[in-house]
Structure formats: C-alpha cells, structure tokens
Amino acid sequence: MQNPIAPLLDSANRIILGKQHQIRLALCCLLARGHLLIEDIPGVGKTTLAHTLAKLLGLNYQRIQFTSDILPSDIIGASIFDPEDRSFKFHPGPIFNQMILADEINRSTPKAQSALLEAMEEQQVTVEGKTYRLPSPFFVIATQNPAHQIGTFPLPESQLDRFLMRIELGYPDRNAERELLSGQSRYHLIENLKTELPPEPLKNIQQQVNTVHVSSALLDYMQNIITFTREFPDYPCGLSPRAGLSLLNAAKAWAFMDSRDAVLPEDVQAVLPAVAGHRLRSASQDSAAVVAPILERVNVL
C-alpha cells in the first residue's frame, strides 16, 4: 500500500520540532475522521500544530478563541434581519470551515462548549428549524488548559468522549529547543509551506482507511481490552461502544500510515493511550499511566 502522507509528515516535523509522535497521532486522528483534544500549558505549540496541518492539507482554517462570554451564536452563526428583503438571513459562523482551532475550550461556559461539540458530532448545525451541513472534510482541534489553572470549566466525561484522541505536546528536548531558539519564526515558516495533500485526495484516503482489514483475532483482542476497562476497579467507567469504534478506526488509520492493509495488535497499542486515556483517567494521571494496566494484563491472542 503506497503511503501518500510521508511528505506531509516530513514537512510538519520541520515546523513542530521534536514532536514526531504527537504529529503522527494528530494525522491519524484526522484520517480516522475524528476530532483532537490537546491539553497542555500555554506556549508549547498547540496553535502552531493546528495552523501547520491546515496549511499542509490546504484546508480552510479558522481559530475560535473561547472566552467566558462567548455565545453559541458566535460559533455557529445567527439569523439577522435584512430590512431590504424584510426577512431574516442566516449568517454562518466560524464553525463553517474545514479545520477549526477551538482555542482554550475550557475557558468558555458549558453552553458554548455544547454548541461546538454538537456540531462536531452531527457534522451539521440547526438554526431556527433549518439544518446547515458543515464542510467536508471537517476537523476540530480543541485546546484545553490544565484544570488547575484559573478560570476553567472542565469538560464533562460525556463531552470528552466526543474527541477521538487527546494528546499532550509537552516541552521540547534540549536539541529541539536550541534549534527553535536559533532558527526562523515558526509563523514565517508556516506561511511558506505548500499544500502536500489537498482536500479531495484527503477524503479519498479517509475512505481507504475504512477498507483496512481487521481479523477476527484482532477484534477479540480489542473486545478483551474493552471488557477489561469495564471490570478493572481502578477505572470509574469503562470504554463505551463509541470509544471501541474510535479505537478501531484509529488503529486502521495507524496501520494505513505504516503502509499496511491490515491492523496488527501493535497498531491498537500505539493509539490506545491517546484514544482511551481521557476516557479512563483520573485528574492526576497522564494517558500512558492510565492505560498501562491494560497493556500489562490483556494478552495478545
């Protein structure tokens, strides 16, 4: 299977230094038709990652800054009276773009959060009884500040479950930070990027990901993982059926990115922390620590 996204990964890694695994997970999430949550402190490159991917994929990009006073109409749009036609006309909001950066989503109220998350789930918005389809492909990257920071409204578990993956970027290593400090501005480099994978080929790849083969033995392994999360006493709530589907789709995308036409247990293990960590974790644990009991106790068949 030819891998058409290797040039895209190479270009992204030249912008976001030392974060190859996180970039790969972000692309995997996109190929699996999911949405991505990045939880980290300010200033580690969350916005830069979203802008880089939008540029490389040739997607219409819009950043929405979530604040405590943002309204649902600021996100999805509103009907405004036109005095000339003496009628109301719908003015689309920033959600009507192919890639959305929902910046600091947990700084907004639950009502505003729900407006975005419902649009993510349904791929459409309804205003005054009329439904408007969102563009395709449609990908949301939401950033979230750590819960201990002032002025945050934590996303409830039901809303977290709508994100296929959650990742952290973290601080760069010493070599990457030295290159960052001595090199050009990241924003200047982003402006000079060329599109590596336009929207139409991207949609074709998303369809190809669905055709990646999954054996019965692999499905047994996945079901054992899901069952373990529901029975393990350290997890307040196990993985839902939607989480199981998310894990399957992410594993298919990971296999595709490795130029394979079938999913291996290693693909499931590679995406498990990002897919399951935010669904199972306690506030004091990172995703890798949360899924460690699964990887240790659920055997590959």
Side-chain angles (χ1 to χ4, degrees):
M1 184 184 297
Q2 184 180 3
N3 187 345
I5 63 171
L8 192 155
L9 285 170
D10 291 340
S11 296
N13 286 325
R14 287 194 291 269
I15 303 296
I16 313 294
L17 302 176
K19 301 298 176 186
Q20 291 88 346
H21 185 65
Q22 290 91 334
I23 293 171
R24 186 178 173 86
L25 283 171
L27 279 172
C28 176
C29 186
L30 174 60
L31 297 182
R33 301 175 188 264
H35 303 288
L36 178 67
L37 177 65
I38 308 177
E39 181 177 340
D40 220 320
I41 61 173
V44 294
K46 302 186 293 292
T47 301
T48 304
L49 173 59
H51 198 181
T52 298
L53 292 178
K55 191 79 172 180
L56 291 171
L57 296 167
L59 301 176
N60 296 328
Y61 170 77
Q62 181 67 54
R63 175 177 176 268
I64 306 174
Q65 179 62 55
F66 279 70
T67 59
S68 59
D69 59 351
I70 193 171
L71 300 174
S73 59
D74 297 326
I75 300 168
I76 63 177
S79 293
I80 300 176
F81 184 73
D82 186 342
E84 293 185 0
D85 293 343
R86 300 185 65 81
S87 63
F88 285 90
K89 290 186 177 180
F90 177 67
H91 291 253
I95 195 70
F96 286 88
N97 283 275
Q98 293 171 314
M99 179 175 283
I100 303 297
L101 173 63
D103 209 5
E104 298 184 312
I105 187 173
N106 61 337
R107 293 241 181 242
S108 65
T109 62
K111 187 174 184 179
Q113 293 172 1
S114 296
L116 171 69
L117 295 166
E118 289 174 9
M120 288 165 44
E121 179 71 15
E122 300 173 8
Q123 300 279 301
Q124 63 186 26
V125 298
T126 301
V127 179
E128 296 181 356
K130 188 171 183 180
T131 300
Y132 302 88
R133 293 290 303 173
L134 295 174
S136 178
F138 179 67
F139 186 44
V140 173
I141 298 180
T143 71
Q144 177 170 263
N145 293 320
H148 66 268
Q149 293 196 355
I150 297 173
T152 59
F153 297 83
L155 293 173
E157 288 78 4
S158 60
Q159 304 288 38
L160 284 172
D161 195 48
R162 296 177 189 268
F163 289 97
L164 190 146
M165 287 186 181
R166 172 202 165 271
I167 64 173
E168 296 177 356
L169 293 181
Y171 294 118
D173 61 34
R174 187 175 181 85
N175 292 334
E177 190 159 30
R178 184 58 174 259
E179 185 176 349
L180 180 65
L181 292 171
S182 59
Q184 293 182 342
S185 164
R186 299 296 102 182
Y187 293 104
H188 176 73
L189 294 175
I190 291 173
E191 289 304 315
N192 293 327
L193 287 175
K194 65 177 182 179
T195 299
E196 297 284 357
L197 187 63
E200 286 304 316
L202 172 61
K203 289 195 288 185
N204 292 335
I205 289 175
Q206 289 177 324
Q207 293 175 353
Q208 292 177 45
V209 166
N210 288 333
T211 67
V212 174
H213 177 69
V214 181
S215 68
S216 295
L218 195 284
L219 288 176
D220 288 338
Y221 176 56
M222 285 190 55
Q223 285 192 287
N224 289 344
I225 288 175
I226 294 169
T227 301
F228 177 84
T229 66
R230 296 170 181 172
E231 297 175 350
F232 190 55
D234 288 359
Y235 298 146
C237 185
L239 293 178
S240 67
R242 175 164 55 189
L245 289 171
S246 296
L247 182 60
L248 175 63
N249 292 334
K252 285 183 176 182
W254 196 264
F256 181 91
M257 294 172 71
D258 276 343
S259 302
R260 284 183 280 102
D261 58 4
V263 177
L264 300 178
E266 290 79 2
D267 300 318
V268 177
Q269 295 164 0
V271 300
L272 183 63
V275 174
H278 61 293
R279 294 175 164 97
L280 300 173
R281 71 182 180 123
S282 64
S284 60
Q285 291 182 304
D286 63 20
S287 296
V290 170
V291 303
I294 301 173
L295 299 177
E296 292 170 1
R297 304 187 192 193
V298 180
N299 296 322
V300 178
L301 301 176

